[in-house]
Amino acid sequence: MPSTDHPPNNHDDQPRARLLELVGAIEPWDNLERTHLKTATQWIASGAPVYRRRKPDVPAMHLVSYFVVLDDTRGQLLLVAHRKAGLWLPTGGHVEPGEDPWTAVVRECREELGIQATASPITGALPLVLTVTETRGQGAHTDVSLWYLLNADADTITSYDQGEFDAIRWMTHGQVLAEPDELLDPHMHRFTHKLQHARASRHCG
């Protein structure tokens, strides 16, 4: 459980309140996400530091904005082969101190894919999923990740940050779900199931 020994500072009350609002608006997909949402809410409310101050693991638990790019016409998601993680992941990065998580999405989207971030009409500029994940390898730490959904035509993405990624790959929902867990972010299958449900609900509505 995150420490509660850090009283909130007045200067970060507003961004902390915004984080609590974002987390509180996420409807949990399953019991694991319900647990993750509770952990994140307690962590943010405790006054503990939430932004990464020094690479790779200070503080040991910090905030990340993921963004999954969806070509809605083709029904394909963009994943990247992350050099350090050795996994196929969504794009994204750490939220800077005091930065709104959506602003981090806009910044990282421009840096990593060279395009303007366009929020999906399914979610708007709000996260669809929250996960709490122990990272692997040297400097292991805990990422509290807000997963956003972006819309883009696959043909508009012609470059990517080759310093961070070995390759990019467009995959249908079925292809993502057919990939072994050990090759993907550990929550990618759960995200895909929740997205399938959200897309189906939107079309039915």
Side-chain angles (χ1 to χ4, degrees), residues 146-169:
L146 294 164
W147 297 54
Y148 290 82
L149 185 65
L150 304 185
N151 260 20
D153 187 315
D155 293 334
T156 65
I157 298 179
T158 58
S159 63
Y160 58 90
D161 184 350
Q162 297 187 22
E164 286 202 47
F165 315 134
D166 286 317
I168 63 174
R169 183 179 174 193

Side-chain angles (χ1 to χ4, degrees), residues 88-158:
W88 287 95
L89 306 175
T91 36
H94 293 87
V95 182
E96 298 294 336
E99 183 179 38
D100 185 85
W102 172 253
T103 303
V105 169
V106 173
R107 172 177 53 78
E108 292 283 348
C109 188
R110 184 173 56 250
E111 293 174 2
E112 295 185 346
L113 299 177
I115 63 169
Q116 180 177 344
T118 301
S120 167
I122 298 172
T123 56
L126 296 173
L128 178 65
V129 169
L130 179 138
T131 60
V132 179
T133 310
E134 299 289 332
T135 66
R136 308 188 315 181
Q138 188 174 4
H141 56 275
T142 301
D143 282 341
V144 178
S145 303
L146 294 164
W147 297 54
Y148 290 82
L149 185 65
L150 304 185
N151 260 20
D153 187 315
D155 293 334
T156 65
I157 298 179
T158 58

